[in-house]
Amino acid sequence: MTVEEIATLVQGEIIAGTEYKDKKVERVFASDLMSDVLTLKDYDNLMLVTGLCNLQSIRTCEMSDIEIILIVRGKVVTPEMLELAEDNDMVVIRTDFSLYKTSGILYGAGIPPVY
Amino acid sequence: MDFVYHVEGGDFTNAGSTSSEVKRMLKKLGVSPDIVKRTVVALYEAEVNIVAHAYRGDITVDLEEDKVRIVLADEGPGIPNIDWAMQKGNSTASPKVREMGFGAGMGLPNIKNNSDELNIQSEVGKGTTIEFVNYFNK
């Protein structure tokens, strides 16, 4: 599934990396705990779904080679976060849906989990 | 070749900026992506530890032909029991650190998982030094 299709499914919007809207997402991991994200093995085209909305959520993706992040619960993404994401060629999507609802929609649409 | 970076305790805005620079440097040198990831994940965990627990610290990155050696030396409260701190789930992190998505007691074990050699020295009331080495060709 593409970034654009995911944004549509969760009634969200792509707020950084719109040029990568056709990028594929093959797996999803959902967590507010960045320590958990940092323990993940390598997966191509992995997307993080999180309600943790601060610079460290972007940094954690940078270190973990995760290029797509979906921020849930209508959190406000700061300009500093967007700048850091764009510096690292990352895609940021936001949605007003909860972590549970977002995860349910994506799982129901057939995107597999990491484990 | 040595590179030295300074880290301030409590500065969550810049936490990870050293790891980011080192990642760029290793990629530019053509180090394989899996070694780059292991190295920067270990470094980022340790850098966040300085920000979360110490007053300040210095990170020295020593690049050699076959390996990278990274030393993080901080001034801070130190770790009273390293064996305890190395066990998953054990943490003394503040609520603020937990709000940032850390403090679950997974940092030191994850540094160990992502390094080829790890040495931790700590003195209560003085500080902690973490040294790890990753080899480019294993």
Side-chain angles (χ1 to χ4, degrees), chain A residues 61-77:
Chain A
C61 285
E62 179 191 356
M63 301 311 153
S64 305
D65 292 335
I66 297 172
E67 295 171 336
I68 306 161
I69 180 168
L70 170 50
I71 306 278
V72 299
R73 300 199 290 266
K75 301 284 180 185
V76 177
V77 180

Side-chain angles (χ1 to χ4, degrees), chain B residues 5 32-33 38-39 41 63 79 93 96 101 105:
Chain B
Y5 306 88
S32 75
R38 273 167 60 76
T39 304
V41 164
L63 270 173
I79 306 169
K96 189 180 177 198

Side-chain angles (χ1 to χ4, degrees), chain B residues 35-90:
Chain B
I35 307 286
V36 173
K37 186 182 169 188
R38 273 167 60 76
T39 304
V40 300
V41 164
L43 174 56
Y44 181 53
E45 293 272 22
E47 184 179 356
V48 167
N49 273 353
I50 294 179
V51 174
H53 296 286
Y55 313 130
R56 65 194 66 81
D58 285 321
I59 300 175
T60 305
V61 178
D62 176 21
L63 270 173
E64 296 176 32
E65 201 170 315
D66 62 333
K67 61 182 177 282
V68 57
R69 179 186 304 277
I70 299 181
V71 180
L72 303 99
D74 74 46
E75 292 171 37
I79 306 169
N81 185 336
I82 293 173
D83 289 340
W84 181 86
M86 286 299 291
Q87 289 170 39
K88 272 187 189 172
N90 290 347

Side-chain angles (χ1 to χ4, degrees), chain A residues 1-112:
Chain A
M1 190 170 296
T2 67
V3 163
E4 188 172 35
E5 287 168 334
I6 285 170
T8 303
L9 269 181
V10 299
Q11 295 178 28
E13 58 175 327
I14 305 168
I15 54 175
T18 48
E19 64 270 39
Y20 304 117
K21 65 183 171 55
D22 295 325
K23 208 173 177 108
K24 294 267 187 228
V25 173
E26 291 177 9
R27 281 181 193 273
V28 171
F29 186 70
S31 179
D32 283 357
L33 184 63
M34 295 303 104
S35 301
D36 270 339
V37 179
L38 287 165
T39 63
L40 294 177
K41 292 178 186 145
D42 279 329
Y43 294 97
D44 288 335
N45 305 318
L46 173 65
M47 178 173 78
L48 173 68
V49 181
T50 185
L52 188 82
C53 187
N54 58 36
L55 276 172
Q56 296 317 315
S57 44
I58 307 291
R59 282 276 186 225
T60 298
C61 285
E62 179 191 356
M63 301 311 153
S64 305
D65 292 335
I66 297 172
E67 295 171 336
I68 306 161
I69 180 168
L70 170 50
I71 306 278
V72 299
R73 300 199 290 266
K75 301 284 180 185
V76 177
V77 180
T78 64
E80 292 79 13
M81 288 173 66
L82 290 177
E83 191 182 336
L84 185 60
E86 289 189 342
D87 282 350
N88 287 284
D89 297 323
M90 286 163 66
V91 177
V92 182
I93 311 168
R94 62 162 300 284
T95 177
D96 288 334
F97 292 174
S98 68
L99 184 66
Y100 179 68
K101 183 172 179 176
T102 301
S103 300
I105 289 170
L106 298 177
Y107 189 80
I111 308 177

Side-chain angles (χ1 to χ4, degrees), chain B residues 11-135:
Chain B
D11 183 8
F12 278 100
T13 303
N14 290 306
S17 55
T18 297
S19 305
S20 185
E21 279 194 42
V22 172
K23 182 177 184 180
R24 266 189 274 270
M25 188 162 63
L26 294 176
K27 278 172 80 174
K28 205 183 271 183
L29 287 170
V31 176
S32 75
D34 57 324
I35 307 286
V36 173
K37 186 182 169 188
R38 273 167 60 76
T39 304
V40 300
V41 164
L43 174 56
Y44 181 53
E45 293 272 22
E47 184 179 356
V48 167
N49 273 353
I50 294 179
V51 174
H53 296 286
Y55 313 130
R56 65 194 66 81
D58 285 321
I59 300 175
T60 305
V61 178
D62 176 21
L63 270 173
E64 296 176 32
E65 201 170 315
D66 62 333
K67 61 182 177 282
V68 57
R69 179 186 304 277
I70 299 181
V71 180
L72 303 99
D74 74 46
E75 292 171 37
I79 306 169
N81 185 336
I82 293 173
D83 289 340
W84 181 86
M86 286 299 291
Q87 289 170 39
K88 272 187 189 172
N90 290 347
S91 175
T92 58
S94 66
K96 189 180 177 198
V97 173
R98 293 173 201 270
E99 277 172 24
M100 302 303 289
F102 298 96
M106 297 166 70
L108 289 178
N110 205 26
I111 294 170
K112 190 176 181 190
N113 285 340
N114 284 285
S115 56
D116 295 330
E117 294 170 12
L118 172 65
N119 181 27
I120 303 173
Q121 303 284 333
S122 192
E123 193 173 339
V124 172
K126 286 205 162 175
T128 300
T129 299
I130 292 180
E131 177 179 3
F132 70 90
V133 177
N134 277 353
Y135 292 90

